[in-house]
Amino acid sequence: MTDRALAVVRAGALTTVQDLGRTGFAHLGVPRSGALDPGAARLVNRLVGNPEDAAVLETTVNGCAVRPRGAVTVAVGGAPCPVTVDGRPAAWGTAVRVPAGALLDVGPALRGLRAYVGFGGGLAVEPVLGSRSTDLLSGLGPAPLADGTVLPLGAASAVRGSVDAPPWPGPPEELVLRVRLGPRHDWFTPGALHTLATRAYRVSAASNRIGLRTEGPPLHRAISAELPSEGMVLGAVQVPPDGRPVVFLADHPTTGGYPVVAVVRESDLAAAAQAVPGTVVRFVPVR
Amino acid sequence: MKARRVFRVGERALLVELGTGTETEAFHAELLRRRAGGALPTVREIVPAARTVLLDGVDAPDQLAGQLREWTIPPLHARVEQAVDVPVRYDGPDLAEVAALWGVSVETAVRIHSATEFRVAFCGFAPGFGYLTGLGEQYQVPRRATPRTSVPAGSVALAGPYTGVYPRSSPGGWQLIGSTDAVLWDAGREPAALLAPGARVRFVVERR
């Protein structure tokens, strides 16, 4: 049996395989998927000498533990967390050599939510429509990790990894999301738009890879008619009937029938993906 | 005719809103035609929907928006390519209710549905789920008041002006009129979706 594989010892709350997602299939109802914090996924790949779009593990809240069959270079980034190899502390945010058969444990996030684990050679699960990402909305790609899952690893390149970016931009104390109003802001009252721009929301515990749900003052509609389904983008701030904005993340549906009041800047979405429930969210309209 | 409207959507997308479903399908067809001919700047995703087409991943959205407003759209021509035949057993639990809503017998309802030529207006809800238009306005039906928690894969269903086929088992609120063994979605197949936007579709009665 090849030693280019790893066994999952502790799957964690939700650990999935992610790369930079699948594009070009939204018209068939296929979400883009991919790492919620793509900067962190790219960084751990660079650290282990992979192309930036190699498949990595994305953990949620409490990390995961895996046992590679053969020696492999790994790097853990995204949410800061304790890292151990066979129980001994190892470095976070840099390349670490894990010996054959040793246990790599990625501990609970100290700040933020999602850690990323890159492996030299990348996770070599079979791509689906050009991506190895797990898509939780439509069930494409590999299933979320379970204890005992075995994942194949690709051949590691001889290139040494490099650090060329700060590994962690800092956890959001307060999540500031810059938004561009529209396309359906005129479906809301002027008061609702004022509320969105001035009031604080909080990240709801019901948030997931599909959307960041919020709790806060409801946004009232000026037009109560039903909106015919229309295409949705990453970062769309969709407002369901309860009036609480939902920010669409990577596994969002490709079409939807609730009006989008605004769209979050793509560069602000990594912080959204790392915001723990209860974090204050402010929507700041910009041009 | 309602004027075409083009909205900015975030940093890199445009939403084109048309007056009718037919205009939307014609605009979508024109977009694909221009893209195939290399006459459209790079657009990562073109997502048609009921009254809109979304263009996502556009480098210069304001510039493209100006062009899209000026386009002359030729009417939608019947395509020359073969229609996709979907074999169907009209055995759905809501067939009698749909026939009653239409004010016809079950046999007539089956004849109406299977004699209609459909077109995939857009996809969504799940990979490979197409929203098929073609039935006359008098045949619109409401969604079920209480959605089913599980609709079997292959269910042929109606809601509003649309017919759809569930690619896999899922919760659903559409009226179920039949079932098919056709594989609507197979990510390992090329193409993965049996019914892509723009495709013509016929439902062919399968006798048991």
Side-chain angles (χ1 to χ4, degrees), chain A:
Chain A
M1 194 185 295
T2 172
D3 67 353
R4 299 303 300 165
L6 57 83
V8 176
V9 176
R10 180 176 66 82
L14 173 67
T15 303
T16 58
V17 175
Q18 297 296 339
D19 54 20
L20 299 181
R22 34 184 82 81
T23 55
F25 300 99
H27 64 292
L28 301 179
V30 176
R32 75 162 69 196
S33 195
L36 288 194
D37 185 343
R42 290 173 190 271
L43 177 66
V44 296
N45 274 323
R46 288 200 301 274
L47 288 167
V48 299
N50 287 344
E52 288 191 329
D53 61 352
V56 304
L57 291 180
E58 177 183 280
T59 74
T60 314
V61 180
N62 66 348
C64 69
V66 298
R67 197 184 293 282
R69 287 180 179 153
V72 63
T73 302
V74 308
V76 181
C81 58
V83 179
T84 62
V85 175
D86 273 345
R88 282 187 294 276
W92 176 93
T94 188
V96 171
R97 191 74 177 160
V98 178
L103 183 70
L104 168 70
D105 192 281
V106 177
L110 301 170
R111 298 188 302 283
L113 274 182
R114 294 177 167 96
Y116 290 82
V117 192
F119 300 88
L123 296 167
V125 295
E126 200 58 39
V128 176
L129 300 174
S131 167
R132 296 183 165 89
S133 289
T134 297
D135 162 7
L136 295 176
L137 182 74
S138 53
L140 296 177
L145 268 53
D147 294 353
T149 299
V150 174
L151 296 172
L153 289 169
S157 80
V159 180
R160 280 187 64 91
S162 61
V163 189
D164 55 8
W168 176 250
E173 291 289 330
E174 188 172 279
L175 180 62
V176 176
L177 299 176
R178 290 168 294 173
V179 298
R180 185 185 180 104
L181 286 180
R184 299 296 181 189
H185 56 297
D186 57 350
W187 281 53
F188 296 86
T189 63
L193 299 181
H194 184 73
T195 297
L196 179 74
T198 55
R199 300 282 298 275
Y201 286 81
R202 283 186 186 277
V203 175
S204 158
S207 301
N208 55 26
R209 281 187 46 86
I210 296 165
L212 178 108
R213 293 177 179 278
T214 65
E215 292 161 356
L219 301 180
H220 297 294
R221 297 257 295 257
I223 301 174
S224 58
E226 197 171 320
L227 179 75
S229 279
E230 60 190 27
M232 292 285 144
V233 299
L234 184 69
V237 182
Q238 205 194 41
V239 182
D242 72 4
R244 270 77 184 194
V246 177
V247 180
F248 274 174
L249 302 179
D251 287 358
H252 72 85
T254 58
T255 60
Y258 298 128
V260 171
V261 65
V263 179
V264 177
R265 283 205 182 180
E266 193 165 336
S267 54
D268 289 351
L269 291 173
Q274 295 290 3
V276 299
T279 301
V280 170
V281 188
R282 292 185 188 279
F283 295 97
V284 180
V286 291
R287 278 298 297 171

Side-chain angles (χ1 to χ4, degrees), chain B residues 120-170:
Chain B
V120 183
F122 59 98
C123 291
F125 172 63
F129 185 93
Y131 291 75
L132 279 54
T133 53
L135 282 175
E137 258 185 40
Q138 67 273 34
Y139 300 126
Q140 296 208 11
V141 295
R143 284 163 199 261
R144 290 174 54 81
T146 308
R148 289 185 170 87
T149 52
S150 178
V151 172
S155 294
V156 178
L158 305 183
Y162 303 113
T163 291
V165 187
Y166 284 78
R168 54 175 184 159
S169 175
S170 65

Side-chain angles (χ1 to χ4, degrees), chain B residues 1-206:
Chain B
M1 192 169 87
K2 194 171 136 189
R4 187 185 312 152
R5 300 207 292 168
V6 183
F7 303 103
R8 271 287 296 268
V9 181
E11 299 156 279
R12 298 192 61 210
L14 296 170
L15 187 71
V16 186
E17 185 178 63
L18 292 305
T20 66
T22 307
E23 285 172 45
T24 306
E25 292 181 34
F27 189 85
H28 177 239
E30 179 67 8
L31 272 170
L32 297 190
R33 199 154 42 230
R34 293 198 186 215
R35 179 156 78 171
L40 189 70
T42 302
V43 176
R44 199 180 56 230
E45 306 276 5
I46 295 178
V47 187
R51 295 286 181 274
T52 56
V53 182
L54 174 75
L55 294 92
D56 193 7
V58 180
D59 283 333
D62 286 332
Q63 191 183 336
L64 182 59
Q67 295 168 19
L68 295 176
R69 289 188 186 98
E70 302 303 318
W71 281 10
T72 303
I73 307 300
L76 195 63
H77 290 291
R79 299 246 204 134
V80 289
E81 79 257 31
Q82 195 68 32
V84 179
D85 284 351
V86 177
V88 57
R89 297 175 295 274
Y90 285 94
D91 57 1
D94 303 329
L95 179 60
E97 195 179 322
V98 166
L101 285 165
W102 289 0
V104 300
S105 67
V106 165
E107 292 70 25
T108 305
V110 168
R111 203 162 58 240
I112 291 166
H113 194 263
S114 60
T116 300
E117 183 165 299
F118 291 89
R119 199 165 180 284
V120 183
F122 59 98
C123 291
F125 172 63
F129 185 93
Y131 291 75
L132 279 54
T133 53
L135 282 175
E137 258 185 40
Q138 67 273 34
Y139 300 126
Q140 296 208 11
V141 295
R143 284 163 199 261
R144 290 174 54 81
T146 308
R148 289 185 170 87
T149 52
S150 178
V151 172
S155 294
V156 178
L158 305 183
Y162 303 113
T163 291
V165 187
Y166 284 78
R168 54 175 184 159
S169 175
S170 65
W174 290 33
Q175 311 269 5
L176 310 185
I177 62 166
S179 56
T180 180
D181 296 328
V183 177
L184 274 292
W185 175 259
D186 176 354
R189 182 177 65 188
E190 175 58 41
L194 181 66
L195 308 180
R200 292 161 59 217
V201 183
R202 288 183 309 195
F203 290 96
V204 180
V205 180
E206 185 182 288

